[in-house]
Amino acid sequence: MNTQRLTSVSLSLLTLAVLPFAAACGSEKSGDSQTVGSGTGTTKSGSPDVTGIHWRVEDLTVDGKKSAAPASAYLQIGKDGEVSGNYGCNSFGATAKVDGDDIALGTARSTDMACGNDRMTFESAFSKALTGGALTAQVKGDGEQQLTLTTKAGATIHLTEEKASSLYGTKWTVTTVGDAGADSGVSPLPSAADTYLVFDQKKGTVRGKAGCNNVSAEATVSDGAITFGSPATTRRMCDASLMKAERAFLKLFDGKAAYKIDHRSLSLTSENGTTVAATVAD
């Protein structure tokens, strides 16, 4: 399992998306700088406020070469000026201030994990673009908004407003299973595990794979909780580590679990203490 450590990275990054929302404060005087998150819904230039929006990174163009972003790359600036995001592999956080069309990001904190070569290659180029100087931003679209960030060197980053994923019909790939009452805490699944859930609203059911065997059950959703019926599974035998992970996962069923969706992430916490984290399958 990768170790995470906080690193300080100086980003002029959020030289970026905050710009449109800076002037979001209707009471601010023209030309004043401000910390993002103190106000209304439009900027000094009249463009839409981009705070509180989950921006999915689409692509990055540097020196004329365009690179598609990993599905995990995103940027979000809260109404209070708190910034969160993902470079493609590692997550980062900071605070943002805006002065006109310039956005300044305070000292950033990022994780230090290693991912596949493609993700790390994009992350390296993305972080360099964000830390290479001030960026300017342009927002277009009335429905699904698009945000373009441009560096002084001419690199461009395209982002799209992303709504939260639906519980239903989405393939939720399980990444960790844990027991809130156990010393072992939360553990990632074995690399060979194929564990996922798909909820069907019309049928009131859930189906998927528990790691080794297929699984299905009734699933009733109400008031932020899911009541799972008894699981029906196939009877295959797999590697001992897979079977152990599967048994832990199946404790989620035959009971009620609170759930929360954060865009591409789903968390489940059952009344018996079983915790499950899942993401949208790429």
Side-chain angles (χ1 to χ4, degrees):
M1 186 166 66
N2 292 314
T3 321
Q4 292 189 338
R5 64 181 175 79
L6 293 180
T7 62
S8 292
V9 181
S10 195
L11 299 178
S12 48
L13 134 61
L14 294 157
T15 289
L16 55 122
V18 192
L19 91 82
F21 43 70
C25 215
S27 60
E28 292 293 327
K29 296 180 180 179
S30 177
D32 290 344
S33 62
Q34 67 181 80
T35 299
V36 176
S38 57
T40 62
T42 58
T43 67
K44 297 169 187 174
S45 62
S47 57
D49 183 356
V50 300
T51 59
I53 296 176
H54 185 100
W55 295 103
R56 180 181 68 248
V57 182
E58 300 287 357
D59 57 60
L60 165 69
T61 300
V62 178
D63 296 330
K65 182 179 179 180
K66 180 183 289 187
S67 301
S72 58
Y74 78 93
L75 172 69
Q76 184 167 342
I77 302 95
K79 296 291 185 180
D80 57 358
E82 289 295 320
V83 176
S84 61
N86 186 286
Y87 295 128
C89 174
N90 286 285
S91 299
F92 66 89
T95 57
K97 292 183 179 180
V98 62
D99 184 5
D101 286 348
D102 293 329
I103 299 171
L105 189 69
T107 301
R109 308 163 301 281
S110 74
T111 56
D112 189 23
M113 298 189 300
C115 296
N117 290 336
D118 290 345
R119 288 192 178 191
M120 298 309 295
T121 298
F122 180 88
E123 178 162 309
S124 177
F126 186 31
S127 62
K128 287 179 181 178
L130 293 177
T131 59
L135 293 86
T136 57
Q138 181 180 25
V139 178
K140 294 182 178 180
D142 295 326
E144 184 181 73
Q145 300 183 90
Q146 286 81 45
L147 170 65
T148 300
L149 305 172
T150 305
T151 70
K152 290 183 177 180
T156 57
I157 305 164
H158 292 116
L159 307 93
T160 301
E161 179 183 5
E162 182 178 61
K163 305 297 184 182
S165 299
S166 172
L167 174 67
Y168 301 106
T170 300
K171 182 177 180 180
W172 295 103
T173 299
V174 177
T175 55
T176 63
V177 177
D179 184 342
D183 294 336
S184 57
V186 176
S187 301
L189 297 179
S191 58
D194 180 17
T195 308
Y196 67 88
L197 294 170
V198 179
F199 293 89
D200 188 314
Q201 184 176 18
K202 290 184 178 180
K203 295 181 179 178
T205 60
V206 63
R207 63 174 178 82
K209 201 162 185 180
C212 174
N213 288 283
N214 296 332
V215 61
S216 61
E218 293 183 350
T220 303
V221 181
S222 178
D223 298 327
I226 303 172
T227 300
F228 292 93
S230 298
T233 66
T234 52
R235 300 298 181 187
R236 293 180 56 205
M237 292 299 295
C238 296
D239 177 85
S241 63
L242 287 180
M243 299 308 295
K244 180 180 179 180
E246 179 167 293
R247 287 192 295 272
F249 175 68
L250 290 176
K251 292 180 181 179
L252 177 68
F253 293 82
D254 204 12
K256 181 179 287 188
Y259 79 94
K260 181 180 179 181
I261 294 175
D262 184 4
H263 287 86
R264 295 174 57 86
S265 300
L266 169 68
S267 60
L268 295 159
T269 304
S270 72
E271 292 180 336
N272 63 18
T274 300
T275 60
V276 171
T279 62
V280 176
D282 294 338

